[in-house]
Amino acid sequence: MKMKCARCQKSAVFRNPAYCREHFISYIERKVWSTIARYKLIGKNDAIFVACSGGKDSTVCLHILSQRYQVEALAIDEGIAGYRDLTLLDLRAYCAAHRIPLHVYSIKHLFGKTLDELLKKGSGLPCTLCGAFRRSLLNRCARELGATVIATGHNLDDEAQSVLMNFLRNQLAVSARLGPATGLVKDLHFVPRVKPMYFCTEKEITAYAYLMNFSPTFTECPYTWDSYRNTVRAHLNTYEENHRGTKKALIRSFLHLMPMLKARYRTTSALSRCHDCGEPCAADRCQVCSQLKKFQMKKY
Ligand code: SF4
Ligand code: ZN
């Protein structure tokens, strides 16, 4: 027998919770609005930029936020052939159709080499290199565009993986920077990041994207083999299958600990300026400048 929506007589398009199309869409959107309100993620006068990849999570985030806020999309093109070029096509199409301003910055344009070319040079792990460039460029480009907040498409599954990874690697200081509003200390050069979809699961976002007829290209980055996250994701998914509610429970436990972690690590996390480029960082030289030096590339 077909499952019915818990709110009306229509057929359910999603289970757990069982909702028809309309009730499911409003359930997801209400979840986002209540996360923003509860954690004060966005203020009335904020200039909001959504960090977009063209994938479903950031596109859904962009779509929902654009219903209530003036938003702009910001993307970093790392230069991963057969992957980022395709997801950026989707993003360009979405932004054009919805008249949302889009800013794309490419690593090649700024530094002279794509991620693919850098990796051919032989040193460096893809995700470490990619993450360092992307985090730093997002901050710098958003700041130069006048952003006061960057919204990201991180969901509950992403956060549960990060929390578990940090526990497994004994990196509590890294966990202290997690949460719906990321970071520990305020810095004029650092644009705060928020995660409006913090309590939406990956499955919910996939279903929302499908129901809204977004058509993100479901390609995988060719470098995912480098990702420890993939291993943790697979284990967490298996655990969730056998013990429903595991991921939510992990996030609830983390949110209990989070204020203590933030208080504990706030005092030891002051940001300084990179000696080479002046960007905020925790050491003398930021990760990007360290990589540039290693690859003897042009400066930031
Ligand atoms: Fe970058 Fe690694 Fe993600 Fe690929 S899988 S986009 S290399 S962080
Ligand atoms: Zn630097």
Side-chain angles (χ1 to χ4, degrees):
M1 202 175 75
K2 270 197 169 173
M3 205 189 326
K4 286 251 187 285
C5 173
R7 294 273 178 87
C8 69
Q9 287 307 304
K10 289 188 194 153
S11 301
V13 293
F14 195 82
R15 9 167 115 227
N16 295 318
Y19 283 137
C20 67
R21 185 181 187 279
E22 287 70 26
H23 283 115
F24 177 74
I25 287 170
S26 78
Y27 155 77
I28 294 295
E29 292 173 358
R30 272 187 288 115
K31 212 169 357 181
V32 171
W33 306 137
S34 72
T35 304
I36 292 173
R38 183 166 175 201
Y39 292 93
K40 300 185 176 56
L41 300 186
I42 295 173
K44 218 170 55 222
N45 300 317
D46 267 324
I48 309 159
F49 282 68
V50 181
C52 291
S53 63
K56 64 179 177 5
D57 300 295
S58 51
T59 306
V60 168
C61 183
L62 182 66
H63 184 79
I64 296 179
L65 292 192
S66 70
Q67 294 173 20
R68 285 203 181 168
Y69 302 98
Q70 196 84 35
V71 291
E72 301 193 20
L74 174 58
I76 304 298
D77 180 0
E78 305 92 343
I80 304 174
Y83 171 64
R84 185 60 75 222
D85 42 352
L86 299 182
T87 67
L88 285 178
L89 277 181
D90 291 336
L91 179 62
R92 286 200 168 91
Y94 175 87
C95 289
H98 294 81
R99 295 167 190 255
I100 294 175
L102 167 64
H103 311 264
V104 181
Y105 292 85
S106 79
I107 291 183
K108 168 95 175 176
H109 183 71
L110 292 166
F111 301 113
K113 291 229 176 334
T114 62
L115 188 76
D116 286 339
E117 288 165 348
L118 280 178
L119 291 166
K120 273 191 202 128
K121 282 186 132 193
S123 47
L125 284 169
C127 297
T128 314
L129 202 55
C130 177
F133 275 102
R134 199 181 42 237
R135 272 191 303 276
S136 179
L137 279 187
L138 267 182
N139 184 60
R140 190 182 100 176
C141 299
R143 191 181 68 226
E144 287 172 3
L145 288 165
T148 58
V149 67
I150 299 173
T152 66
H154 288 98
N155 59 41
L156 185 131
D157 291 54
D158 298 325
E159 188 81 347
Q161 290 151 19
S162 299
V163 168
L164 187 57
M165 277 162 60
N166 293 336
F167 269 119
L168 296 175
R169 291 164 150 178
N170 189 24
Q171 291 183 328
L172 281 183
V174 180
S175 271
R177 294 193 206 114
L178 296 174
T182 61
L184 283 171
V185 283
K186 286 194 167 55
D187 184 288
L188 271 181
H189 279 65
F190 192 73
V191 185
R193 290 178 195 197
V194 297
K195 302 171 187 163
M197 300 202 300
Y198 194 85
F199 294 102
C200 301
T201 65
E202 173 114 42
K203 271 190 188 155
E204 289 175 339
I205 292 169
T206 307
Y208 184 97
Y210 174 77
L211 292 170
M212 299 305 279
N213 285 325
F214 300 156
S215 50
T217 310
F218 287 100
T219 40
E220 265 214 337
C221 173
Y223 302 121
T224 40
W225 53 264
D226 171 36
S227 162
Y228 179 53
R229 181 175 289 276
N230 274 347
T231 314
V232 171
R233 177 190 290 123
H235 286 301
L236 254 180
N237 284 347
T238 309
Y239 214 81
E240 177 77 35
E241 266 167 37
N242 298 326
H243 309 273
R244 218 173 78 204
T246 294
K247 293 175 195 170
K248 280 185 191 155
L250 186 58
I251 289 302
R252 275 197 212 108
S253 303
F254 171 68
L255 287 174
H256 272 295
L257 292 174
M258 192 179 70
M260 289 175 262
L261 285 176
K262 289 209 183 278
R264 161 69 182 79
Y265 287 102
R266 192 165 281 134
T267 47
T268 53
S269 302
L271 289 175
S272 56
R273 294 276 176 277
C274 168
H275 287 181
D276 289 358
C277 69
E279 286 297 302
C281 70
D284 288 345
R285 180 177 281 139
C286 72
Q287 287 184 12
V288 169
C289 287
S290 307
Q291 298 294 341
L292 294 182
K293 200 170 157 52
K294 194 159 98 190
F295 290 105
Q296 296 170 335
M297 288 163 69
K298 65 180 182 184
K299 280 204 170 181
Y300 217 149

